[in-house]
């Protein structure tokens, strides 16, 4: 059977954890930027929030500092966030906060998404996956 163009990634869609990881990887920079936009936060706090979000999907903590810190450095290099050292009790920690450029980036992305026609596939996909309670049926009948 010939592999179609939409499944060249080699992901096994029966394995939800691999699909969830791939989906998260595609949006993680924006998600990290959004987390930082909520309040000034340190790296461990970001990692905790990410793992909290992911564990609700797959019961696994899959995000580590080795994944997050390079993204934070990249976002800082791009001018979307800035960091400063602050005291947290007796320890000094690096805190991250969004910059004006980061806010403009999030606003641009939000406007781009909202300006799409309601029949656009991306909007339909997001609506179906996040807000629609129906389940998908197998071609041969219902799953349960």
């Amino acid at each position: 059977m010939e592999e179609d163009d939409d499944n060249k990634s080699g992901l096994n869609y029966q394995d939800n954890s691999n699909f969830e990881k791939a989906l998260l990887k595609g949006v993680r920079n924006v998600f990290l930027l959004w987390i930082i936009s909520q309040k000034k936060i340190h790296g461990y706090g970001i990692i905790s929030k990410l793992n909290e979000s992911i564990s609700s999907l797959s019961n696994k903590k899959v995000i580590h500092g080795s994944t997050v810190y390079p993204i934070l450095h990249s976002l800082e290099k791009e001018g979307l966030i800035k960091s400063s050292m602050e005291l947290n009790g007796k320890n000094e920690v690096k805190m991250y906060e969004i910059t004006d450029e980061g806010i403009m980036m999030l606003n641009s992305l939000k406007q781009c998404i909202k300006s799409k026609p309601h029949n656009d596939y991306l909007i339909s996909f997001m609506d179906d996956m996040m807000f629609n309670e129906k389940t998908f049926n197998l071609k041969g009948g219902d799953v349960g």
Side-chain angles (χ1 to χ4, degrees), residues 20-136:
E20 288 165 2
K21 286 179 192 177
L23 184 60
L24 179 63
K25 185 177 180 180
V27 297
R28 67 183 174 196
N29 289 23
V30 175
F31 191 42
L32 259 66
L33 187 60
W34 178 82
I35 288 171
I36 296 167
S37 78
Q38 304 301 297
K39 67 177 186 175
K40 192 183 261 193
I41 188 169
H42 52 75
Y44 181 75
I46 295 168
I47 293 167
S48 296
K49 290 209 176 286
L50 288 169
N51 283 324
E52 194 178 291
S53 298
I54 291 167
S55 69
S56 68
L57 294 173
S58 65
N59 288 329
K60 296 178 186 176
K61 291 190 176 189
V62 295
I63 302 295
H64 303 282
S66 60
T67 300
V68 172
Y69 289 108
I71 296 169
L72 291 173
H73 295 158
S74 174
L75 292 172
E76 190 167 20
K77 187 176 179 179
E78 293 173 27
L80 301 174
I81 63 171
K82 64 182 178 180
S83 64
S84 59
M85 297 303 288
E86 296 184 11
L87 282 177
N88 183 10
K90 293 182 179 181
N91 298 321
E92 214 175 31
V93 295
K94 194 175 205 177
M95 299 293 287
Y96 297 92
E97 64 183 307
I98 195 164
T99 63
D100 288 343
E101 291 83 3
I103 290 169
M104 289 187 308
M105 169 72 81
L106 286 178
N107 284 334
S108 292
L109 288 169
K110 192 172 193 173
Q111 185 60 39
C112 179
I113 291 168
K114 285 185 166 195
S115 69
K116 296 286 183 189
H118 288 291
N119 64 353
D120 181 82
Y121 280 120
L122 176 61
I123 301 300
S124 295
F125 164 74
M126 290 169 48
D127 180 61
D128 191 33
M129 297 305 285
M130 291 192 278
F131 304 113
N132 192 332
E133 295 298 321
K134 75 172 182 169
T135 58
F136 298 96

